[in-house]
Each structure stands twice: as structure tokens, then as C-alpha cells.
Amino acid sequence: MEDMIAKILKVEDRAQEIVASAKRDQENLQKDLDKEIENLYSDIHNKEESKIKYLTDFENKESEKKLLEISENLKRQKKEIKEKYNANREAWISRIFENTVK
């Protein structure tokens, strides 16, 4: 009988060891999952930041390119207006004088 009780206690001790081991494994798994989730959030955040920086840089470059095009267009138009003015100045002055005197 004592032998039977000893075996039952031994089985009970082993069962408690298995339960304790399972709890430790569960806690370790939960820690690993929490860490993995944290890493995933961090990766997502880093990718978002990288994409935002890329898009911001792209928009800035496109804006600078567009401003340069506008500036070059304005310079060209200003040059054309000056050339027209210089080429037609005397004729315009004469025409204005003639229209004013008449």
C-alpha cells in the first residue's frame, strides 16, 4: 500500500513538474510572441518612415524641377519681350507720336 502511495505521489510530482514546465514554456512563448509583435510594429513603422521620406524627397525634387522650369520659362519670356522691345522701340515710339499728334 505504501508502495502504491509512493508511486501516486511520484506521479503527482511528475505531473506538477510537467505543468510547471508547460507554464514556463507558455510564458516563454508569450514573451517571444510579444517581442516578435514589437519587432513587426517597429519594422512597419520604419518602412512607413522610409516611404514618407521617399515621397517627401520625391515631391521636393518634383517641386524644385517645376520651379526651375517656370524660372527658365520666365527668363526666356523676359528675354523675348526685351528683344521685341529693342527691335520695335523706334517704330512704337513713332506710331505713338503719330497717333497722339493726329
Side-chain angles (χ1 to χ4, degrees):
M1 183 73 156
E2 286 182 24
D3 190 35
M4 184 78 115
I5 294 173
K7 284 183 181 178
I8 292 173
L9 290 175
K10 191 173 185 180
V11 168
E12 176 66 26
D13 287 343
R14 179 70 182 129
Q16 287 181 9
E17 287 175 9
I18 291 171
V19 169
S21 176
K23 283 184 180 181
R24 281 192 304 274
D25 290 346
Q26 183 181 13
E27 289 171 359
N28 288 337
L29 275 173
Q30 187 61 50
K31 286 179 186 176
D32 290 345
L33 285 174
D34 290 344
K35 188 164 189 143
E36 186 65 25
I37 289 170
E38 184 179 325
N39 288 340
L40 287 172
Y41 278 124
S42 179
D43 287 348
I44 289 169
H45 177 74
N46 289 339
K47 286 178 182 177
E48 287 173 345
E49 289 293 322
S50 177
K51 190 163 190 168
I52 289 169
K53 184 182 182 326
Y54 169 80
L55 290 173
T56 302
D57 290 346
F58 179 79
E59 286 296 320
N60 287 340
K61 286 178 184 176
E62 287 298 309
S63 296
E64 289 175 11
K65 183 178 171 184
K66 191 68 176 171
L67 285 173
L68 184 61
E69 288 174 10
I70 291 169
S71 177
E72 292 298 321
N73 190 25
L74 288 173
K75 285 179 187 177
R76 184 181 47 77
Q77 288 177 353
K78 185 177 178 182
K79 182 180 176 188
E80 288 174 3
I81 290 171
K82 271 189 171 184
E83 288 173 354
K84 277 186 181 180
Y85 171 78
N86 289 334
N88 297 310
R89 179 176 172 240
E90 293 302 320
W92 291 342
I93 291 172
S94 295
R95 195 176 291 152
I96 291 170
F97 180 75
E98 288 173 14
N99 287 337
T100 311
V101 172
K102 288 184 178 182

